[in-house]
Amino acid sequence: MTEHEQASTPVLLFWMPVAAMAVVAVADVVAGPGVGFLPLVSLGPAFSGLVGGWRRTALTGAVALLLCVGLGMYDGLFEERRGFTAMVSVAGVTGAGVAAAVMRSRREAELASVRSIAEVAQRVLLRPVPRTAGPLQAAVSYTSAVAEARIGGDLYEVVASPHGIRVIVGDVQGKGLAAVETAAVVLGAFREAAHDEPDLVGLGERLERSVARELEGEKFVTAVLAEIGSDEGVVFLNYGHPAPMVVRRDGTVDFPQPPSYALPLGLAHGGEGPKPYRVDFGPGEQLLLYTDGVTEARDATGSFYPLGDRADLLKEPDADRALEVLREDLVRHADGPLHDDAAMLLLRYHGHGEGKSVPIA
């Protein structure tokens, strides 16, 4: 076993083979040869094969054989078949343990390779957002509901286009690889259209057409698009997504709602899309876009996460640290693994000034 393997193995499991052989040896000496404890020495290599590498299993098996010989001579068992039977038992278990350890090592190597490829794919799909874009500082947090995964059905992106800073945060219906594939379609369309379309409505229509071509049945994607220009304001286009949170300089919190309800991407089927609406957003203020995995996280009593009441956690000077503090608070509230992916994108407007929410028609 390598030093890394030894460090990653719990102490109890690491020493279990030695403890098992020691207990059997003491019991055999105390109880005498009549009880028949000697074959149980094979527990050492058996446990070692479960938690260690093949080299450690083979070494444990060799020690077990020497212990078996010593105890057998002490008990006088080699004058009959019992001593040799015990040795064969230890040797057989050691061989099986070595084979099991080799097979496990191969599976672990294959799994590590698959994870490495998955991590590369994840970085391509949800690449790091720029830390600064125009007058904005950006930070992102993603907590996947799937164990060992970094992404799922939630998506986000920030693009500095000739028409302003354009942002998307979305949530694909469903989970698993199908949701990741749909997220890739939406992000690919957004990254291309964000540079080409002169207005946010046109960008949304491009996304709707792309999603409609790819999705089947009643699948859909909720999303909110945002565009921050040079006029200290942000324009939203909301496709059935939770309202963004705006934290003002004085600490007050707004959740600006769209002027009318709109269907998610993939469900419009050529119908009327959402209406854009504008919100003042100036220096010293913060904008948090998130998915429903945040606000729908429940504690042990079934209460939803009170995002608006936690806005003061975003006072940290560093945007990444502020978002991490909020994420840690969310995980504590859930009191265990999240049941849905939770993505958060924080945008901070550099400088100082005042702003207020003013929706437009």
Side-chain angles (χ1 to χ4, degrees):
M1 175 180 281
T2 65
E3 292 182 1
H4 174 74
E5 289 174 325
Q6 181 174 341
S8 62
T9 302
V11 176
L12 179 61
L13 294 179
F14 182 78
W15 290 107
M16 185 179 292
V18 176
M21 291 189 295
V23 169
V24 171
V26 172
D28 184 82
V29 171
V30 172
V35 179
F37 278 122
L38 191 58
L40 295 179
V41 173
S42 60
L43 288 174
F47 286 136
S48 184
L50 293 176
V51 300
W54 71 268
R55 291 183 179 86
R56 181 169 183 257
T57 303
L59 178 60
T60 304
V63 173
L65 279 174
L66 292 176
L67 183 61
C68 186
V69 171
L71 291 174
M73 294 178 64
Y74 176 81
D75 294 333
L77 297 181
F78 287 105
E79 298 176 0
E80 49 183 304
R81 294 180 179 179
R82 292 173 59 190
F84 296 102
T85 302
M87 290 187 63
V88 171
S89 174
V90 172
V93 172
T94 300
V98 169
V102 170
M103 294 176 62
R104 191 185 70 252
S105 297
R106 289 177 179 175
R107 288 196 299 269
E108 289 174 350
E110 292 174 356
L111 179 60
S113 177
V114 170
R115 286 179 176 171
S116 177
I117 295 172
E119 288 176 359
V120 172
Q122 290 169 348
R123 286 195 296 268
V124 171
L125 178 58
L126 288 183
R127 59 195 183 192
V129 300
R131 294 185 61 86
T132 58
L136 305 177
Q137 181 184 12
V140 68
S141 169
Y142 195 112
T143 305
S144 176
V146 180
E148 303 292 339
R150 288 184 173 86
I151 62 171
D154 289 359
L155 56 98
Y156 58 81
E157 184 60 288
V158 178
V159 174
S161 77
H163 316 290
I165 309 301
R166 288 177 165 176
V167 181
I168 183 173
V169 169
D171 185 359
V172 179
Q173 178 204 24
K175 296 186 174 101
L177 293 178
V180 174
E181 183 179 3
T182 302
V185 171
V186 176
L187 285 173
F190 175 81
R191 287 164 180 164
E192 179 181 358
H195 288 280
D196 299 338
E197 295 296 334
D199 61 78
L200 203 61
V201 173
L203 172 56
E205 291 173 349
R206 282 271 293 272
L207 291 182
E208 176 63 45
R209 290 194 296 269
S210 297
V211 171
R213 284 195 302 267
E214 297 294 333
L215 296 187
E216 299 178 356
E218 296 300 317
K219 294 183 179 180
F220 59 86
V221 181
T222 68
V224 59
L225 309 182
E227 180 179 279
I228 299 97
S230 57
D231 58 349
E232 296 191 3
V234 53
V235 178
F236 294 112
L237 202 62
N238 195 316
Y239 288 88
H241 199 77
M245 182 175 77
V246 181
V247 183
R248 302 300 177 186
R249 287 189 60 197
D250 60 3
T252 58
V253 176
D254 291 337
F255 288 89
Q257 300 290 330
S260 61
Y261 176 82
L263 292 172
L265 294 168
L267 294 182
H269 303 301
E272 186 176 4
K275 302 294 185 183
Y277 60 106
R278 183 183 182 277
V279 175
D280 282 357
F281 179 54
E285 298 182 329
Q286 303 183 80
L287 171 63
L288 182 71
L289 306 176
Y290 55 92
T291 58
D292 59 10
V294 176
T295 51
E296 294 183 2
R298 296 174 182 262
D299 63 10
T301 65
S303 300
F304 291 115
Y305 183 67
L307 179 60
D309 296 338
R310 299 295 200 269
D312 60 323
L313 298 178
L314 297 176
K315 291 180 179 179
E316 285 278 345
D318 181 74
D320 289 300
R321 178 55 188 161
L323 206 53
E324 178 60 22
V325 170
L326 186 62
R327 191 196 72 83
E328 291 172 353
D329 185 70
L330 171 67
V331 173
R332 282 194 300 270
H333 175 86
D335 194 26
L338 298 179
H339 297 293
D340 195 5
D341 300 332
M344 295 183 288
L345 176 62
L346 178 64
L347 299 175
R348 285 181 169 176
Y349 206 114
H350 292 308
H352 301 283
E354 296 182 357
K356 58 183 180 179
S357 174
V358 182
I360 63 172

